[in-house]
């Protein structure tokens, strides 16, 4: 085992660094959902962050940890979703230029959201390879700092700050569930939770249609990703070697849920918590609702990761 | 002027009494809505209360202030909306029987919500007179305690606790905006705010299609109500003599907004705050969005009163 690149100390440092930039998000409970599921559920509402997603934590930490000299040429990233807006927002707070590489087929709403935060949008072909190539080119030509959506120790440490807050807010926690896509969130939560409370059961949940994390976890080696067709568009990314190692070391299980279960869970969260969560956010709760894991009578934390949806295209 | 029946001391007593029963709701901010409006907005999210509405405060206070002997025969109220669910919820916490008189044409979802909280639903003709008559009859025959939706000092004091929290959460507050229907919320806020911070501008907002409060305020006497056809169904009630006096004493102005503005404001809140608010909740923000009041550069609190909507019948 190699030395972990993200430690509890890194996450504590991230917490101090981003305290002024991110919201200490509330934890909501729902008597009706507790009744439905038989568990005591605690929803950590990262969807209420200013850009509507936990991604603001990692992006803010990656920027705030750097000197002005390191940020002289601004920042660059590639993203079709929340990470791009998070980098744009965090960059603006520090008066930095931000370039966000986005696929040509991104929705007009997403492009407008990033531009309204003062970032420059660079359009590329809608493939991962094209995005990565363009971002790398911009970084090398301009000297801008590249901030990867998840394969970055600062980003992972930033996401881990969610666990520090949640353990203070709900000290009786026995389980913690999160969605997994690229694995930055799960990695950060894993390091923090297992350092502070190794007794807590850690479960990552992903769409069955994007199950590379589960296949990798089962095989004990990073599995090749297949094309992911899921409504949970924030979870189409695949683990990196770094996030796979951190998740394998700290998580107890990876569970999958089908598309219909995700939509049912999403609607139940809207109806009962009265907050807007995107499909990716509903994935862990879907596993509870479908009884894919047995959490009867237990205190269960669930990270609601984001709340950016197209209100004209709801899936029900 | 008669002696006010609700004092700051009553509101402080309510706060201690209901602390274990209601959520200290979070205050959300939105950089994008601040940019759109030119004000610094602080949204007090009562829509996140367990039953999805501030009504839980007043109902809880009305019940918790009573002795077991006074509650021996349970409680009764009439409501087509959030007050009924709030009374049912607060009664169940104390193992009391609750009877909720509801109009025959209430939606299946609303009837189911009240029944799922363990209350008995009594159906009546869909008129205010029929509701009031049936509730009065039940109270006199059964000895159950009647809890009026707003014309009740305990209910008003309970709603006033919102102001105590908000002034702690946002000490720099300069304006406070709330919707007005029957006036229980506005009455409670008025007493608390003007006792503690008489410098704060207090504005009540109502739909132009249900403008009895504005007409009463302008005339200096309780105006007769007309039939109200507004999407803001929580604001169709009319002021009582008690709530009118308290509002006239404490509020600086009453402003109206039209139906289209309410829908625009509702959607802007969903999109930018990523929470679900019902049309009634969006009414004060509509006044800011339409620039019906000039709050440029000011610190403005807005009470978001409820989040119960039919997700299959959104108004856009």
């Amino acid at each position: 085992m190699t030395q972990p690149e993200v430690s509890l100390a890194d996450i504590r440092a991230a917490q101090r660094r981003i305290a002024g930039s991110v919201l200490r998000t509330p934890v909501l409970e729902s008597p009706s959902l507790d009744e439905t599921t038989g568990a005591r559920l605690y929803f950590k509402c990262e969807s209420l962050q200013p850009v509507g997603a936990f991604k603001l934590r990692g992006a803010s930490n990656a920027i705030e940890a750097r000197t002005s000299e390191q940020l002289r040429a601004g920042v660059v990233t590639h993203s079709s979703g929340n990470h791009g807006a998070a980098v744009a927002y965090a960059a603006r707070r520090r008066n930095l230029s931000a370039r966000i590489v986005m696929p040509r087929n991104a929705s007009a709403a997403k492009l407008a959201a990033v531009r309204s935060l003062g970032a420059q949008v660079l359009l590329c072909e809608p493939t991962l390879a094209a995005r990565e190539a363009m971002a790398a080119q911009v970084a090398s030509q301009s000297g801008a700092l590249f901030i990867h959506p998840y394969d970055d120790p600062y980003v992972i440490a930033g996401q881990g700050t969610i666990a520090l807050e949640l353990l203070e807010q709900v000290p009786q926690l026995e389980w913690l569930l999160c969605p997994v896509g690229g694995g930055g969130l799960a990695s950060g939560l894993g390091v923090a939770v297992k350092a502070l409370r190794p007794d807590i059961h850690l479960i990552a949940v992903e769409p069955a249609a994007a199950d590379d994390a589960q296949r990798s976890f089962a095989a004990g080696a990073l599995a090749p990703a297949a094309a992911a067709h899921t409504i949970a568009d924030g979870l189409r990314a695949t683990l990196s070697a770094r996030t796979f190692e951190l998740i394998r070391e700290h998580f107890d299980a990876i569970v999958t849920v089908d598309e219909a279960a995700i939509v049912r869970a999403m609607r139940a969260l809207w109806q009962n918590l009265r907050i807007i969560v995107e499909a990716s956010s509903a994935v862990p709760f879907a596993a509870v609702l479908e009884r894919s894991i047995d959490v009867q009578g237990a205190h269960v934390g669930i990270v609601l990761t984001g709340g950016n949806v197209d209100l004209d295209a709801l899936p029900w």
Side-chain angles (χ1 to χ4, degrees), chain A residues 117-143:
Chain A
L117 291 164
Q120 184 187 353
V121 171
L122 304 171
L123 294 175
C124 70
E125 294 307 311
T127 68
L128 183 60
R131 276 195 225 181
E132 288 178 341
M134 187 182 283
Q137 189 187 22
V138 170
S140 73
Q141 286 180 354
S142 68

Side-chain angles (χ1 to χ4, degrees), chain A residues 104-156:
Chain A
R104 277 185 205 291
N105 60 356
S107 73
K110 283 185 176 172
L111 294 172
V114 169
R115 288 188 178 119
S116 77
L117 291 164
Q120 184 187 353
V121 171
L122 304 171
L123 294 175
C124 70
E125 294 307 311
T127 68
L128 183 60
R131 276 195 225 181
E132 288 178 341
M134 187 182 283
Q137 189 187 22
V138 170
S140 73
Q141 286 180 354
S142 68
L145 176 73
F146 175 63
I147 302 175
H148 192 278
Y150 52 88
D151 190 32
D152 176 315
Y154 289 106
V155 170
I156 292 170

Side-chain angles (χ1 to χ4, degrees), chain A residues 260-276:
Chain A
I262 295 170
V263 174
R264 278 194 297 274
M266 181 177 167
R267 184 167 170 135
L269 292 169
W270 285 46
Q271 195 78 63
N272 290 279
L273 294 181
R274 303 173 185 90
I275 61 172
I276 292 174

Side-chain angles (χ1 to χ4, degrees), chain A residues 181 206 210-217 223-226 235-239:
Chain A
E206 65 183 349
D211 67 346
D212 68 295
Q214 191 186 54
R215 285 185 287 111
S216 299
F217 197 80
L235 305 180
R236 289 177 190 153
T238 57
L239 299 183

